Amino acid sequence: ARPYLDSVCRILERSPQSIAVLGGTGDPAWILDFIRVNGLDRRLFVVPEFVDGHVWGRMLDVFLDTFPLTGGYSCRETMAKGTPVVHRRSDEMSNLGELLDPELEGRTVDEYENQVLRLLADPVARKAARLRAMEISRRNADPATFGRRFDEALREACDS
């Protein structure tokens, strides 16, 4: 969405040594136009096909989750490889927020951008966020934890 691309553009302006790579299916024409109009040909790249979060999670310093619609399980896949995911709360997938790092949630666009910039500039903070990403991913992948959470949700639904 355009607000997301505007945000990425501001992040790149404030972090001149950084680049951004966007990946996924769909028609990239409007994104390529945005890149051209904003002179980001050497800083913002598009891979217009399915991208494997398990592969990208090994390459990225920070995953910038999309908004207002979230990247969904791509976030979890990259976290499993230790990539911090900066995110915003999504009304469409609000429960996904429980599976992400609460310390990296931007409640506003400014908070989101500042979280990204902090991780890009501070290797110590980025390393701590990488460790949290892996821990959160492991905890949420534990079958016993999943079973308990599923049972609780099912009981709650049945009691309603």
Side-chain angles (χ1 to χ4, degrees), residues 12-56:
L12 291 173
E13 287 172 358
R14 293 173 57 191
S15 183
Q17 77 285 3
S18 297
I19 65 166
V21 183
L22 307 176
T25 58
D27 181 4
W30 70 276
I31 299 172
L32 295 171
D33 287 341
F34 178 90
I35 291 170
R36 184 182 40 74
V37 166
N38 287 282
L40 295 171
D41 304 79
R42 296 175 182 233
R43 310 256 336 266
L44 181 55
F45 304 94
V46 177
V47 177
E49 60 190 52
F50 169 79
V51 294
D52 188 336
H54 294 289
V55 174
W56 282 47

Side-chain angles (χ1 to χ4, degrees), residues 94-95 98 147-160:
S94 57
N95 62 334
E98 296 174 21
R148 280 193 304 278
R149 291 178 76 187
F150 182 78
D151 184 62
E152 290 168 8
L154 189 57
R155 287 177 192 276
E156 184 178 315
C158 290
D159 291 342
S160 296

Side-chain angles (χ1 to χ4, degrees), residues 3-11 14 22 62-71 75 85-89 103-120:
Y4 173 77
L5 284 180
D6 289 336
S7 187
V8 170
C9 188
R10 286 189 297 273
I11 290 166
R14 293 173 57 191
L22 307 176
V62 181
F63 184 96
L64 285 64
D65 189 19
T66 54
F67 62 85
L69 296 174
T70 180
C75 298
V85 174
V86 178
H87 59 100
R88 299 199 59 215
R89 186 63 62 153
E103 292 184 39
L104 297 181
E105 180 181 334
R107 287 177 176 72
T108 65
V109 172
D110 285 341
E111 280 184 20
Y112 174 91
E113 293 171 11
N114 288 331
Q115 288 281 22
V116 173
L117 291 164
R118 179 179 63 86
L119 291 176
L120 291 173

Side-chain angles (χ1 to χ4, degrees), residues 124-138:
V124 173
R126 191 168 56 247
K127 182 177 181 180
R130 284 185 173 283
L131 294 173
R132 284 194 316 274
M134 286 188 285
E135 172 54 31
I136 291 167
S137 178
R138 285 187 189 111

